[in-house]
Amino acid sequence: MHDQNISSKFTVYESSDELSSSEKELLLKAVEARNKAYAPYSEFNVGAAVLLDDGSVFTGNNQENAAYPSGICAERVAVWSAMSHDPRRKIKKIFVTAASDIKEVDRPAAPCGSCRQAIAEYEIKQESKIEIFFTGEKGAIVKAPSIRDLLPWLFDNSMLK
Ligand code: THU
């Protein structure tokens, strides 16, 4: 028997002023997407922007449904939109931002477990890391340098074949 330690390193930006100009643009695109979220039930609006290796950007937001489990998160809308557009592309960065109509989201809103698993699929497929930035409507921005930092012990297709 032995203990195993998996460590993750995150970068915390105190505000968007500390981001590069291209990262600021991506955050803005995620905010624009967030403002168009369809979240009448939770009133929790999430936007995501995905930067691909050819410089193109795809965005998405959460789409809720009266049958609650039929809704979908912003991250998966954005990632699947990008990957369905051109499966040869690699994902470089994903920005996620959340804002609520009920209470101020003043700390980083981390992607849910299902979205982490969806992102992991593409990081493994493309064999290069995806940087994931997440934030609220104000306050700090967190960068995870790889999905493995958010999802250690992830399930991947090496189990299947
Ligand atoms: N949501 C996202 O879009 N992304 C996440 O990573 C967490 C949750 C959405 C789903 C639902 O529409 C609302 O936020 C509240 O859970």
Side-chain angles (χ1 to χ4, degrees):
M1 185 184 86
H2 68 283
D3 291 335
Q4 190 181 342
N5 188 44
I6 303 177
S7 70
S8 292
K9 191 174 162 191
F10 299 93
T11 305
V12 180
Y13 302 87
E14 302 307 330
S15 84
S16 59
D17 297 341
E18 295 174 1
L19 297 172
S20 71
S21 57
S22 62
E23 288 167 351
K24 275 185 203 142
E25 272 176 42
L26 265 178
L27 175 58
L28 262 174
K29 287 188 173 160
V31 170
E32 278 171 23
R34 189 189 79 198
N35 290 335
K36 292 184 272 186
Y38 178 63
Y41 306 107
S42 71
E43 298 182 63
F44 191 78
N45 307 293
V46 186
V50 172
L51 174 69
L52 301 182
D53 58 351
D54 64 352
S56 59
V57 176
F58 287 79
T59 61
N61 47 35
N62 50 332
Q63 296 294 318
E64 296 189 345
N65 193 285
Y68 290 1
S70 299
I72 187 75
C73 293
E75 295 91 322
R76 276 174 284 166
V77 172
V79 165
W80 289 340
S81 172
M83 292 294 94
S84 59
H85 182 76
D86 188 347
R88 297 166 304 180
R89 299 268 68 91
K90 294 184 179 188
I91 300 171
K92 306 284 277 186
K93 298 174 200 252
I94 302 176
F95 269 74
V96 184
T97 175
S100 168
D101 300 334
I102 297 166
K103 62 169 201 153
E104 191 172 56
V105 182
D106 57 5
R107 62 194 167 90
C112 81
S114 295
C115 289
R116 295 179 197 202
Q117 185 65 38
I119 295 165
E121 181 73 19
Y122 298 104
E123 184 170 299
I124 289 158
K125 173 176 172 268
Q126 69 186 36
E127 297 179 332
S128 64
K129 289 181 180 180
I130 299 173
E131 291 182 332
I132 300 131
F133 295 73
F134 53 94
T135 187
E137 57 196 281
K138 62 184 277 200
I141 299 156
V142 173
K143 176 176 80 178
S146 159
I147 195 61
R148 289 189 183 276
D149 296 299
L150 288 176
L151 194 60
W153 282 108
L154 61 79
F155 184 85
D156 68 17
N157 62 14
S158 65
M159 302 295 270
L160 305 177
K161 55 188 178 185

